[in-house]
Amino acid sequence: MDIRHTPVRFRGFSLIELMIGLLLGLIVSAAAIGIFTSNSNTQRATESLGRIQENARVAYELMARDIREAGGNICSRNLPVANVLNNAGAVWWASAPAVRGYDDGQPFPDAAFGTAAGQRLAGTDAIEIVSTSGSGLTVVSHNPTAAQFQINVSNHDLAVGDIVLACDLQQMSIFQMTGPSATNNTVVHNTGGGGPSPGNCSKGLGFADPIDCSTNGQSYSYGANSQIAKLRAVRWYVANNGRGGRSLYQAALRNNGGAPAVAAEEVAEGVTNLQFEFLPIGGATYLPATGIVDWRRVSAVRVVVTLQGGQGTIAENVGTDGAALQRQFAHVVTLRNRLP
C-alpha cells in the first residue's frame, strides 16, 4: 500500500508575537517587583517603628525611675542635710538639689556643649537627679569622736571612696567613706590628708547653717536603726553617639579606684531631642527650667522624648516623602518625695 506523507510545516513566533510576549512578561515582572518593594518598605517601616518604640520604652522607664526617686532617702523626707564633703559646692553631684533641669541653651556648669561622642548637644534639655542607691544598711552604733559607724552586716557593697548618706528621722548627713579598706561591719568617716578625694572637712555630722567644717565640727550621734546608703547622682542628656546619630546618655557617679568620678554611658540610640518641663508645688502649669525659682518645690516633671529610626550608617528613610521615621513621646513623672 502506497502511503504518502504530507510534509508538516513548522512555524516560529513572529517578531510581533515575541514583542507582545516580552511586554506581557515585563508587565508581570514589574508588578511582582512593585509588590515586593512595597512589602519590603512596609517591613522596614514596621521594624523601624518597633525599634523607635522599644528605645522609647527603655529611655522613659530608666529616666522615670530616677526622676521618681529624686530626693528620696531611706529615712524620711524634707530632712535638713549636713554635707561635710570638702569643697562640696565645687562639683554638681555633691551640691545639686534633688532635681535640677537645664534648658536647651544652658550648658552644665562644669561641661560646655559639644559635638564629640558623649558630649551634650546644644538645643537639648538635660536633668540632674540626686537620691540614694539601694535599700540601705542598718546602723548598730555610731561613735562620732572616732568617726565610726558599726553596721549590721559585714558583706555589703560599700567601699573606701564611696559618697555615703546617713540618716534618721531628725537629719541627714553626706560624707565620704574613708575606711576600712577591707569589707567588714565598720564605716569610717574621718578627716585628714592621705585619704580618698575630696575627703571630709569634719568628723562631725551634725546639721548647722552654715556647716561647721572644723575637725570635730558639729557633733551628732546616729542611734541604732539609723540608715546608711550610697549617694546616687545622675545626669540625663542627648549626645552624638559616634556612629552618625544621636543617643540618650546617662552620666552617673561612680567609685573609680577610691575616688568619685562621673562615667557616661549610652542608654538608647535614636533619641534626637529631650525636653523637660517642671511643675512647682501648688503650681497650675509646667514651666521650663529657666522658669523655676526654687528647685526644692518641684513636684512633677514632664518629659518629652523625640526619636528617629535608622541613623548614621543604617539610615532608614521609610517615612513620609522618603524621610526617616520620627516619633515624639510625652510622659509626666511625679516625685514621690514631694507628694502631699
Side-chain angles (χ1 to χ4, degrees):
M1 181 172 61
D2 186 12
I3 300 176
R4 298 179 182 274
H5 295 279
T6 302
V8 179
R9 298 179 65 184
F10 295 96
R11 296 179 58 194
F13 292 106
S14 68
L15 180 60
I16 294 176
E17 291 173 327
L18 182 61
M19 292 178 66
I20 292 173
L22 289 174
L23 178 61
L24 292 174
L26 287 173
I27 293 173
V28 173
S29 298
I33 292 173
I35 293 173
F36 174 80
T37 302
S38 177
N39 289 341
S40 177
N41 288 339
T42 300
Q43 181 182 8
R44 290 172 59 204
T46 302
E47 290 179 350
S48 183
L49 183 59
R51 282 191 289 270
I52 287 175
Q53 292 174 334
E54 181 63 25
N55 288 334
R57 281 193 293 269
V58 171
Y60 172 69
E61 288 298 332
L62 295 180
M63 275 195 298
R65 186 180 305 173
D66 278 338
I67 294 171
R68 197 175 293 118
E69 298 299 326
N73 64 74
I74 43 185
C75 295
S76 182
R77 63 179 181 175
N78 300 326
L79 294 173
V81 181
N83 188 337
V84 299
L85 294 172
N86 279 318
N87 300 318
V91 287
W92 67 271
W93 47 261
S95 58
V99 60
R100 178 176 179 178
Y102 294 88
D103 213 359
D104 50 23
Q106 294 178 307
F108 291 133
D110 60 338
F113 291 117
T115 57
Q119 292 182 330
R120 181 182 162 215
L121 289 167
T124 63
D125 288 0
I127 195 170
E128 291 174 347
I129 301 154
V130 177
S131 61
T132 54
S133 176
S135 57
L137 303 167
T138 301
V139 173
V140 176
S141 64
H142 177 212
N143 185 337
T145 304
Q148 289 187 358
F149 286 95
Q150 299 297 316
I151 55 178
N152 61 328
V153 294
S154 58
N155 184 19
H156 52 77
D157 63 347
L158 295 181
V160 171
D162 282 346
I163 305 301
V164 179
L165 180 150
C167 66
D168 56 19
L169 297 179
Q170 302 299 319
Q171 68 156 53
M172 180 167 55
S173 301
I174 297 174
F175 59 91
Q176 187 170 32
M177 180 173 169
T178 60
S181 57
T183 300
N184 59 40
N185 64 343
T186 302
V187 173
V188 180
H189 55 92
N190 221 329
T191 60
S197 177
N200 302 311
C201 69
S202 175
K203 293 190 294 184
L205 301 182
F207 174 76
D209 188 14
I211 295 299
D212 185 348
C213 260
S214 61
T215 300
N216 293 319
Q218 180 73 30
S219 181
Y220 186 84
S221 178
Y222 282 96
N225 298 319
S226 299
Q227 298 290 305
I228 288 181
K230 285 184 183 180
L231 184 76
R232 176 170 173 78
V234 295
R235 280 172 167 169
W236 288 95
Y237 60 94
V238 172
N240 287 326
N241 55 28
R243 301 187 299 276
R246 294 183 176 188
S247 294
L248 176 68
Y249 277 78
Q250 181 202 72
L253 180 64
R254 299 282 189 269
N255 186 334
N256 184 16
V262 176
E265 295 180 348
E266 182 182 358
V267 174
E269 66 177 352
V271 178
T272 59
N273 200 356
L274 191 61
Q275 297 291 314
F276 296 101
E277 292 182 323
F278 305 89
L279 181 66
I281 295 174
T285 59
Y286 285 82
L287 302 174
T290 52
I292 299 298
V293 177
D294 187 354
W295 288 103
R296 295 171 299 178
R297 294 189 55 79
V298 170
S299 62
V301 181
R302 184 174 184 267
V303 185
V304 180
V305 184
T306 304
L307 295 101
Q308 178 177 309
Q311 299 185 69
T313 58
I314 55 171
E316 294 179 342
N317 298 324
V318 292
T320 305
D321 297 330
L325 279 176
Q326 282 195 346
R327 292 292 186 272
Q328 191 174 81
F329 303 88
H331 302 275
V332 172
V333 185
T334 301
L335 278 64
R336 288 177 177 169
N337 194 48
R338 305 282 172 83
L339 291 174

